[in-house]
Amino acid sequence: DGPGDPVAEPPAPGLTPGERWRLLLGRGRELSGNAQRYATALDELYGGGRGEGSRGEDAYGGGSEAPYPDVRAWSDELAALFGPGIREEVLATAADSGRLDAALELDPAAARPSVELLRTVLSYAGGLPEQQLARLRPLVARLVAELTEALANRLRPALTGLAHPRPTRRPGGPLDLPRTLRANLATVRRDGDTGAVTVVPERPVFRTRARRSTDWRLVLVVDVSGSMEASTIWSALTASVLAGVPALSTHFVAFSTEVVDLTDQVDDPLSLLLEVRVGGGTSIARGLRYARELVTVPSRTLTVLVSDFEEGGPIGPLLTEVRALVDAGCHVLGCASLDDEGRPRYSTGVAGRLAAAGMPIAALSPLELARWVGERVGGTHR
């Protein structure tokens, strides 16, 4: 360091070199006093004793006593030892293992956004009293906002060109004379000699291409049964991005054994995710039956089913609903659910019968789904 550089404050002040070596070598049980507190904090990080990553009672590690009953105490020690970034990672891991107190201590500004963390926090949100839910809302809001923006940045190229032209005063069509006259009444000039009236068109208005009489309708029919957590989150985020496409009217229909239409929340991913309740059985036929009721112009309707295709009842009614959509002329697609690592997980037997009934089945990422939507709305597969 140069002579003018500030001297960095050493981590974990008050520890002697010997105590630091014992902590480093996992001999924390030989320590006492302030050093023992750091040893217990290291328990939470590395898993000695009964910390967050414990490997069992016989494991050697920072300390042998029970971890701090107060998550705030050991999280502060982790921040002192390793900095706030490591603290947030450990808190996120603790939250994922079922510790609500750790989730409540996460810093919304510092937590690393991920679908896994969002899913964990949302799993707590459903049964919390309002006071605790209010503490989680800023974290959920930031995770949703950043994940949605990141997804939107990936999807925009696939959706380029789907926006309809907006009204403009730039030349783009024939002059709209009546509107031009109304817009320029303030610039009327009267000739003093002849009395003739002249309009000076300082603000000409041109006709734009007419908006299509019927926009495309996208109906996302999303399985929210107990095995669909990760796919449900991605579906909600994707729906919120697609809701911003002017050429689309986006609907979000959630189903398990019951059907809930959450279309009024689709442009607000935070509200949408807080409304979705994952769990219960599966009635895909009921979800598709509701989706069919939303169809007004079949040739301009995209019906996308997101499911693991584990139908909870007879397969006959499900096949009937698929054939009805296909025969009406709707564009249909079945998206297989993905696990936490992005691998497809679904019933191949049911999926095969749906494909035979006219519904293509694919394991698509949000980007690939956006491309499918873009191709159809953009005119490639009309």
Side-chain angles (χ1 to χ4, degrees):
D1 295 332
D5 294 334
V7 177
E9 191 70 24
L15 296 180
T16 66
E19 289 171 332
R20 293 174 190 274
W21 274 110
R22 287 185 176 87
L23 290 172
L24 182 64
L25 296 173
R27 303 295 294 277
R29 65 186 61 195
E30 302 173 8
L31 300 172
S32 60
N34 188 49
Q36 183 58 263
R37 298 185 66 208
Y38 287 108
T40 307
L42 285 170
D43 243 7
E44 295 292 343
L45 181 60
Y46 287 116
R50 288 183 287 172
E52 281 304 313
S54 178
R55 295 181 298 275
E57 291 296 331
D58 297 329
Y60 291 101
S64 58
E65 77 286 354
Y68 298 132
D70 182 358
V71 67
R72 182 174 298 176
W74 62 257
S75 68
D76 287 345
E77 302 300 348
L78 288 173
L81 280 166
F82 298 103
I86 295 297
R87 171 188 180 270
E88 296 305 319
E89 288 189 25
V90 177
L91 284 173
T93 301
D96 196 43
S97 68
R99 292 188 61 169
L100 173 60
D101 55 352
L104 292 171
E105 286 298 316
L106 280 165
D107 180 0
R112 181 180 301 172
S114 70
V115 170
E116 292 73 22
L117 178 57
L118 177 58
R119 183 179 60 185
T120 296
V121 176
L122 287 172
S123 70
Y124 294 131
L128 289 180
E130 184 55 38
Q131 183 178 5
Q132 288 185 319
L133 182 59
R135 292 176 61 185
L136 283 180
R137 280 183 186 274
L139 174 61
V140 176
R142 175 176 175 262
L143 294 176
V144 169
E146 295 213 4
L147 289 171
T148 303
E149 179 60 25
L151 181 61
N153 289 335
R154 291 167 51 200
L155 299 192
R156 283 187 188 111
L159 301 172
T160 299
L162 298 191
H164 289 303
R166 300 183 183 278
T168 177
R169 296 188 184 279
R170 294 178 297 173
L175 182 69
D176 190 328
L177 185 57
R179 293 180 62 194
T180 297
L181 289 174
R182 288 194 297 270
N184 291 274
L185 292 176
T187 64
V188 171
R189 302 288 186 268
R190 182 183 295 275
D191 189 292
D193 296 329
T194 64
V197 176
T198 303
V199 176
V200 181
E202 294 181 356
R203 300 171 59 202
V205 179
F206 296 88
R207 292 176 185 160
T208 59
R209 289 177 293 151
R211 185 178 179 88
R212 295 177 183 177
S213 58
T214 306
D215 282 343
W216 283 78
R217 174 168 292 181
L218 170 64
V219 184
L220 281 171
V221 188
V222 181
D223 187 343
V224 295
S225 59
S227 58
M228 292 290 297
E229 295 95 340
S231 289
T232 298
I233 289 176
W234 279 120
S235 298
L237 298 180
T238 303
S240 295
V241 174
L242 295 175
V245 177
L248 283 177
S249 173
T250 302
H251 297 255
F252 189 95
V253 177
F255 73 90
S256 52
T257 50
E258 302 295 331
V259 178
V260 181
D261 191 334
L262 298 172
T263 301
D264 60 339
Q265 309 282 354
V266 77
D267 58 350
D268 182 354
L270 175 58
S271 297
L272 180 58
L273 284 168
L274 289 175
E275 286 292 331
V276 170
R277 293 290 178 267
V278 177
T282 308
S283 178
I284 307 174
R286 186 171 295 177
L288 289 180
R289 187 176 307 121
Y290 183 89
R292 191 155 56 89
E293 295 172 359
L294 299 176
V295 176
T296 55
V297 182
S299 63
R300 302 181 77 83
T301 301
L302 310 172
T303 303
V304 178
L305 169 66
V306 181
S307 178
D308 57 8
F309 309 122
E310 297 282 356
E311 180 65 306
I315 193 68
L318 172 56
L319 297 176
T320 298
E321 293 299 328
V322 170
R323 293 191 185 103
L325 288 166
V326 172
D327 292 344
C330 296
H331 304 258
V332 298
L333 177 68
C335 287
S337 66
L338 304 176
D339 64 17
D340 292 341
E341 298 180 3
R343 296 172 300 196
R345 182 187 53 77
Y346 62 100
S347 169
T348 55
V350 174
R353 297 185 67 177
L354 294 180
M359 173 181 279
I361 304 296
L364 300 182
S365 68
L367 176 57
E368 291 166 333
L369 175 58
R371 286 175 178 157
W372 182 85
V373 172
E375 287 174 354
R376 279 143 186 84
V377 176
T380 305
H381 287 81
R382 287 187 187 174

